[in-house]
């Protein structure tokens, strides 16, 4: 097992930092470009949002497949092919002649991107010593966050000066470099054992997780969280482009630096879980996200930015608690339960992004806020349900 402090640990951690950067830079680079797509291709904001929604949808479905295939074909080969293919298709996306071609390319990217996040945690769990796993996972998640922020800021600024084609092509080239780093740095698997692919067992274990009410509540909370996040950040760009703000694309792209708050929020929340419990922290995180959404209703630009900050802090905190709670409540096949959570999580991105566009077209920014408030209120109901079920289970265990 790879231990912290060794050269192998540094190589592995750096490789997964590059991998997380690659995946999330490609995934989210189109978010600040949606107003550009509306102008360039004469499509509505709802249609422009498909450039992200369709990618996350096929990513969610493909993750279930790639995670199972890696049990047969191995971890590193699939991750390398995934990163290489997604980088190449990102570059090719820059040459899209119309919006339909762009959507086809983004669909292929969603499939190719799925090979990394569905396998990364399995590789780290198999190869890294348990005492060193937290540090390695933290660097991987840090790569995710920095990639997501960089992809948004870089594409927004480059688009303002050179056009969206150069912006997306630039992200593809940078991601290609990250792929080569990953390829050359990541050690081959030492503890992987190939297993036969049995579809029936996979299906039965999936159904077992979907029969657990507490897990379903957490899955839907994940759906709500990313759905709210994507809807909020998709359409805030349209708001800030209009009067009275009239911000440039590059200025708007800097608002995505707020996502850096999530790096601190998730770590801070993780440290407090043992002291205050998942129930209290999930409620607090949802409440902060709700306050943030409501603050973005204010016309004052600074108050809008503050609202985005509150929402981002609450979003990442709630995601950290909900995802870790899934691992605790799943008694068997924990990796598969986590994959299901991520499936709902990314599906929420697709649904929330597109549905938010409908509310934006019909009711403006107030409609987007109303949709997000409704989502988060459902989140509170689900929080109450899962808390009650966990408390009842504890009572039954004590009686037994």
């Amino acid at each position: 097992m790879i231990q912290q402090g060794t050269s192998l640990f540094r190589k592995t951690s750096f490789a997964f930092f590059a991998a997380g950067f690659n995946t999330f830079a490609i995934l989210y680079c189109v978010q600040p470009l949606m107003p550009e797509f509306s102008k360039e291709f004469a499509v509505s904001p709802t249609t422009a949002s498909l450039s992200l929604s369709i990618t996350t949808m096929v990513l969610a479905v493909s993750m279930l497949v790639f995670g199972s295939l890696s049990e047969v074909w191995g971890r590193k080969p699939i991750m390398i092919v995934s990163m290489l293919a997604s980088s190449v298709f990102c570059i090719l996306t820059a040459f899209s002649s119309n919006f339909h071609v762009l959507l086809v390319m983004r669909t292929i990217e969603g499939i190719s991107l799925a090979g990394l996040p569905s396998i990364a945690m399995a590789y780290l769990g198999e190869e890294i010593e348990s005492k060193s796993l937290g540090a390695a996972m933290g660097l991987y998640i840090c790569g995710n966050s920095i990639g997501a922020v960089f992809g948004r800021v870089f594409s927004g600024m480059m688009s303002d000066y050179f056009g969206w084609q150069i912006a997306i092509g630039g992200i593809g080239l940078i991601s290609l470099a990250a792929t080569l780093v990953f390829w050359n740095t990541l050690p081959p698997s030492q503890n992987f054992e190939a297993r036969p692919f049995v579809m029936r067992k996979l299906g039965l274990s999936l159904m077992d997780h979907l029969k657990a009410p507490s897990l379903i509540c957490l899955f839907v909370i994940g759906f709500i969280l990313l759905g709210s996040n994507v809807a909020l950040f998709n359409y805030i760009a349209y708001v800030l482009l209009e009067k009275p703000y009239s911000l440039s694309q590059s200025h708007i792209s800097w608002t995505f630096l707020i996502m850096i708050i999530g790096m601190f929020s998730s770590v801070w929340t993780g440290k407090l879980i043992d002291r205050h419990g998942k129930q209290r922290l999930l409620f607090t995180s949802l409440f902060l996200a709700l306050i943030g959404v409501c603050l973005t209703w204010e016309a004052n630009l600074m108050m809008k930015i503050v609202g985005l900050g509150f929402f981002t802090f609450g979003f990442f905190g709630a995601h950290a608690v909900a995802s870790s709670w899934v691992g605790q409540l799943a008694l068997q096949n924990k990796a598969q339960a986590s994959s299901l959570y991520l499936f709902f999580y990314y599906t929420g991105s697709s649904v929330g992004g597109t549905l938010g566009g409908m509310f934006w077209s019909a009711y403006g920014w107030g409609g987007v806020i109303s949709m997000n408030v409704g989502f988060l209120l459902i989140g509170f109901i689900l929080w109450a349900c899962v808390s009650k079920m966990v408390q009842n289970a504890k009572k039954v265990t004590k009686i037994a």
Side-chain angles (χ1 to χ4, degrees):
M1 302 293 285
I2 300 173
Q3 297 180 346
Q4 190 171 4
T6 63
S7 60
L8 273 181
F9 179 86
R10 288 190 290 271
K11 287 183 177 180
T12 303
S13 299
F14 184 64
F16 275 101
F17 177 89
F21 180 94
N22 165 286
T23 302
F24 283 82
I26 292 174
L27 181 62
Y28 288 108
C29 70
V30 296
Q31 195 168 40
L33 304 179
M34 291 175 189
E36 293 295 314
F37 296 153
S38 294
K39 294 178 183 177
E40 176 85 12
F41 302 114
V43 296
S44 68
T46 304
T47 304
S49 72
L50 292 175
S51 59
L52 177 59
S53 298
I54 200 167
T55 309
T56 53
M57 176 60 77
V58 294
L59 170 68
V61 176
S62 301
M63 283 178 64
L64 297 176
V65 177
F66 279 113
S68 301
L69 290 178
S70 72
E71 301 288 352
V72 182
W73 295 343
R75 312 297 192 197
K76 184 176 178 179
I78 293 181
M79 288 191 288
I80 290 173
V81 172
S82 169
M83 292 177 64
L84 184 61
S86 57
S87 299
V88 170
F89 282 112
C90 185
I91 295 171
L92 293 176
T93 302
F95 297 94
S96 300
S97 57
N98 56 60
F99 194 66
H100 293 96
V101 173
L102 188 144
L103 289 183
V104 170
M105 299 303 294
R106 290 289 295 175
T107 301
I108 299 172
E109 280 182 42
I111 296 171
S112 57
L113 282 170
L116 189 122
S118 61
I119 300 171
M121 292 185 182
Y123 177 97
L124 290 171
E126 290 167 349
E127 305 299 326
I128 304 293
E129 180 192 39
S130 59
K131 293 181 180 179
S132 308
L133 184 58
M137 194 70 74
L139 280 171
Y140 169 59
I141 294 173
C142 183
N144 292 347
S145 302
I146 292 177
V149 172
F150 177 84
R152 290 166 164 125
V153 174
F154 178 87
S155 63
M157 292 187 63
M158 293 296 286
S159 174
D160 206 21
Y161 293 104
F162 304 106
W164 66 268
Q165 295 92 342
I166 297 295
I168 292 180
I171 290 290
L173 290 172
I174 294 169
S175 297
L176 189 60
T179 301
L180 296 177
V181 169
F182 180 84
W183 194 340
N184 292 320
T185 308
L186 185 71
S189 297
Q190 299 296 320
N191 302 304
F192 169 76
E193 294 182 6
R195 303 170 190 173
F197 181 74
V198 182
M199 180 61 74
R200 183 173 179 274
K201 288 184 178 179
L202 175 66
L204 288 175
S205 56
L206 279 173
M207 291 307 298
D208 287 340
H209 292 312
L210 293 173
K211 290 178 182 177
S214 57
L215 287 177
I216 291 176
C217 287
L218 292 173
F219 294 159
V220 179
I221 286 175
F223 176 98
I224 285 169
L225 287 172
L226 195 55
S228 301
N229 179 288
V230 170
L232 199 69
F233 281 95
N234 272 6
Y235 303 104
I236 191 69
Y238 288 94
V239 174
L240 298 180
L241 281 170
E242 296 176 349
K243 294 181 179 180
Y245 313 107
S246 301
L247 298 183
S248 67
Q249 191 68 48
S250 57
H251 286 144
I252 293 172
S253 69
W254 284 106
T255 62
F256 290 104
L257 283 175
I258 290 173
M259 291 289 182
I260 294 176
I261 292 175
M263 296 168 57
F264 302 100
S265 171
S266 54
V267 172
W268 180 78
T269 303
K271 290 180 179 179
L272 292 179
I273 284 178
D274 292 335
R275 187 186 307 172
H276 298 290
K278 294 182 176 66
Q279 297 178 29
R280 182 178 297 178
L281 284 174
L282 182 55
F283 177 88
T284 303
S285 297
L286 288 171
F287 185 68
L288 288 175
L290 181 61
I291 290 175
V293 169
C294 294
L295 286 176
T296 63
W297 176 256
E298 284 289 324
N300 182 274
L301 178 60
M302 184 55 64
M303 191 60 69
K304 271 184 164 53
I305 301 300
V306 170
L308 291 175
F310 268 92
F311 174 83
T312 302
F313 192 96
F315 162 76
F316 277 100
H319 175 45
V321 176
S323 57
S324 64
W325 212 349
V326 167
Q328 179 186 353
L329 295 181
L331 302 179
Q332 296 177 338
N333 299 305
K334 293 179 182 290
Q336 196 177 59
S338 296
S339 295
L340 272 173
Y341 174 83
L342 291 175
F343 169 78
F344 277 84
Y345 182 71
Y346 286 111
T347 301
S349 169
S350 302
V351 175
T354 304
L355 189 61
M358 296 178 182
F359 276 88
W360 165 259
S361 298
Y363 307 107
W365 185 240
V368 177
I369 291 175
S370 299
M371 188 202 84
N372 277 10
V373 168
F375 268 25
L376 292 171
L377 290 177
I378 294 172
F380 281 110
I381 295 171
L382 294 169
W383 165 84
C385 291
V386 70
S387 299
K388 187 68 174 178
M389 284 183 275
V390 169
Q391 290 174 359
N392 290 339
K394 288 180 179 179
K395 291 179 182 178
V396 171
T397 303
K398 288 181 179 180
I399 293 173

